[in-house]
Amino acid sequence: MTMELRHLRAFLAIAEEGSVTRAAARLHLSQPALSRTLRQLEDHLGARLVDRSTHHLELTDQGRTFRDKAAAALAAVETALDPHGLRKWPLRLGHTWAALGDHTVPLLRRWDETHPGTPLELLRVDDRTAGLTRGKVDVALLRGPVVGDGLRTELLLSEERVVVMPADSPLASLPRVTLADLADYPIALNSVSGTTTMDLWPPSRRPVSSIEVTNTDEWLVAIAAGRAVGVSTTATPSQHTHPSLVFRPLPDAPPVPVTLVWRQGPGHPAIEDLVALAHQVLADTAR
């Protein structure tokens, strides 16, 4: 059977709703009709996408992998069929936090000067790949290791780490902070897009506890409220200033790579131009 866009929309609705019943109501379909569509898709792929053996519907490992592919494919079709795209085709640049740090504004300005016919849209998306694997963006600025099939990467720079703490923290009196200094404090960890885990510390001297958050705003608030301290990179002070926060170097922690990432295969024709311009902006700043 030929697969159609309705099969992708049906599966994504089920994945997002976590229920065939709710997904059917959202799509204005009967539950049996939606179940048949799901079975057709699974038969075509030769894989079980949804685990029906529990009371709560869950995606299988294959289902989670296919979810990202289906979302990217559907987003690409919707972009292609957008009538506004015939006049201007924006290049969507995703990031999870801080974009390119101090280089963000120079990059945007230079792009507008050199590519006036192609708008560059900077979008913050709170997931591990800044929306890239879901098709929400064409290219992403990511920090830390990049894991995923079918991705191309271009290393731009490495950023040194800093400690982020409340202004009234005892650590604020230090000119620089070490990993050992942080061991007696709770650590705020962004579990979705952060670059810090407890593995940053040796097993014998890890912090006493952690607070998990899911985005940069929650992370900043937790630290400003005095509930934890955090570890980030030198991009954070310029992009996320706050009167209740201070920043100190963390010289004994490894730097964090900053990478441009995009999908292999056909994509936006201006991606290579963005890669080249990003390198130019960084080189000009280093002079």
Side-chain angles (χ1 to χ4, degrees), residues 1 15 17 44 55 58 63 76 92 121 202:
M1 179 178 179
E17 296 292 341
H44 174 80
H55 294 296
E58 294 182 358
R92 303 166 299 171
E121 298 180 351

Side-chain angles (χ1 to χ4, degrees), residues 17-249:
E17 296 292 341
S19 162
V20 174
T21 301
R22 290 195 297 270
R26 170 174 151 184
L27 296 173
H28 305 291
L29 296 172
S30 68
Q31 184 173 335
L34 184 57
S35 295
R36 283 195 301 272
T37 301
L38 175 60
R39 283 197 300 272
Q40 291 167 356
L41 179 61
E42 290 179 324
D43 290 344
H44 174 80
L45 294 172
R48 178 66 63 86
L49 302 178
V50 175
D51 184 358
R52 304 168 181 81
S53 63
T54 62
H55 294 296
H56 301 287
L57 182 148
E58 294 182 358
L59 298 184
T60 63
D61 291 341
Q62 294 93 333
R64 285 188 288 272
T65 298
F66 184 70
R67 176 184 56 194
D68 290 341
K69 292 184 176 183
L74 191 58
V77 171
E78 291 173 347
T79 298
L81 296 179
D82 182 0
H84 299 292
L86 296 178
R87 295 187 289 273
K88 287 187 177 181
W89 185 1
L91 177 59
R92 303 166 299 171
L93 174 59
H95 71 107
T96 55
W97 51 272
L100 200 54
D102 290 338
H103 311 289
T104 304
V105 171
L107 176 65
L108 296 178
R109 286 183 175 272
R110 288 278 292 277
W111 182 270
D112 290 346
E113 293 169 0
T114 56
H115 298 78
T118 304
L120 179 59
E121 298 180 351
L122 184 65
L123 305 172
R124 175 180 150 184
V125 183
D126 290 318
D127 72 23
R128 182 60 62 183
T129 64
L132 181 65
T133 57
R134 291 190 287 154
K136 291 184 176 293
V137 300
D138 304 296
V139 59
L141 276 163
L142 302 179
R143 288 175 170 81
V146 176
V147 179
D149 296 330
L151 298 178
R152 295 182 60 187
T153 63
E154 179 77 12
L155 178 65
L156 296 180
L157 75 159
S158 293
E159 295 173 339
E160 298 299 321
R161 298 203 194 228
V162 298
V163 178
V164 188
M165 66 191 81
D168 59 356
S169 170
L171 296 175
S173 62
L174 302 176
R176 60 184 57 82
V177 178
T178 67
L179 290 171
D181 292 329
L182 301 177
D184 295 327
Y185 294 84
I187 304 296
L189 302 177
N190 183 340
S191 60
V192 173
S193 59
T195 57
T196 302
T197 69
M198 287 300 190
D199 291 335
L200 188 63
W201 286 263
S204 61
R205 199 70 176 97
R206 285 182 176 165
V208 293
S209 62
S210 64
I211 296 175
E212 287 201 5
V213 298
T214 58
N215 60 59
T216 301
D217 295 331
E218 293 175 1
W219 183 81
L220 291 168
V221 169
I223 297 171
R227 297 175 180 173
V229 297
V231 175
S232 187
T233 77
T234 49
T236 298
S238 62
Q239 299 296 307
H240 298 288
T241 57
H242 192 290
S244 299
L245 298 177
V246 296
F247 305 87
R248 295 290 182 266

